Amino acid sequence: MKKKINNNGFTLVELIVVLVILAILAAILVPALLGYIDRSKKQQDVLKARNMLTATQSRLVEIYGQGSYTDLGQALNDQNYEYKKIGKNSADIDLDDRKLAEEIMKVADDEPYAFVFGVQKYGNNQYESQN
């Protein structure tokens, strides 16, 4: 009596077709996933910049509120912080003080690599951050 040979496996052609389909799907999905990752990193940077801006404003309001000052520059001078006046208004300043920056970082509770930053208004109440 002759035994029946049971070949229930996949053929080489079937395996190649499946691999080609998987490669096509990967080629479509990988760029889309990379785009999502880039957008999330940009959103994270914007949130960190906003957090730093809020922390800076909070600390400056604290300093200003500790006395009866006519402008922020006078309050900063009184507390021995270094800054440069860069505009016509009393709040148009460039902070250049490590001690103040460390205090702001404590308020922001952010990582040390965000130590140096700048925020610049450029119209329609939109802000641009520069590291």
Side-chain angles (χ1 to χ4, degrees), residues 28-69:
I28 293 170
L29 292 176
V30 167
L33 291 175
L34 291 177
Y36 289 130
I37 292 170
D38 288 343
R39 280 193 293 278
S40 70
K41 286 181 180 179
K42 286 178 185 175
Q43 288 174 343
Q44 185 180 17
D45 290 342
V46 168
L47 288 175
K48 284 187 176 197
R50 285 183 182 164
N51 186 26
M52 294 300 292
L53 177 64
T54 303
T56 302
Q57 290 171 335
S58 173
R59 183 63 187 122
L60 292 176
V61 166
E62 256 181 58
I63 292 169
Y64 188 72
Q66 290 176 351
S68 56
Y69 302 110

Side-chain angles (χ1 to χ4, degrees), residues 114-127:
F115 192 81
V116 178
F117 74 98
V119 176
Q120 176 180 355
K121 188 173 180 179
Y122 67 89
N124 293 332
N125 291 323
Q126 298 292 317
Y127 292 88

Side-chain angles (χ1 to χ4, degrees), residues 13-25:
V13 172
E14 289 171 331
L15 287 175
I16 290 173
V17 168
V18 169
L19 289 175
V20 167
I21 291 171
L22 288 175
I24 291 170
L25 288 174

Side-chain angles (χ1 to χ4, degrees), residues 54-87:
T54 303
T56 302
Q57 290 171 335
S58 173
R59 183 63 187 122
L60 292 176
V61 166
E62 256 181 58
I63 292 169
Y64 188 72
Q66 290 176 351
S68 56
Y69 302 110
T70 57
D71 68 14
L72 183 59
Q74 186 183 26
L76 291 171
N77 278 337
D78 222 24
Q79 305 226 356
N80 298 321
Y81 291 117
E82 294 178 28
Y83 73 96
K84 297 174 201 148
K85 192 166 183 170
I86 57 172

Side-chain angles (χ1 to χ4, degrees), residues 83-95 119-120:
Y83 73 96
K84 297 174 201 148
K85 192 166 183 170
I86 57 172
K88 295 178 183 177
N89 298 324
S90 67
D92 294 340
I93 60 172
D94 179 11
L95 298 173
V119 176
Q120 176 180 355

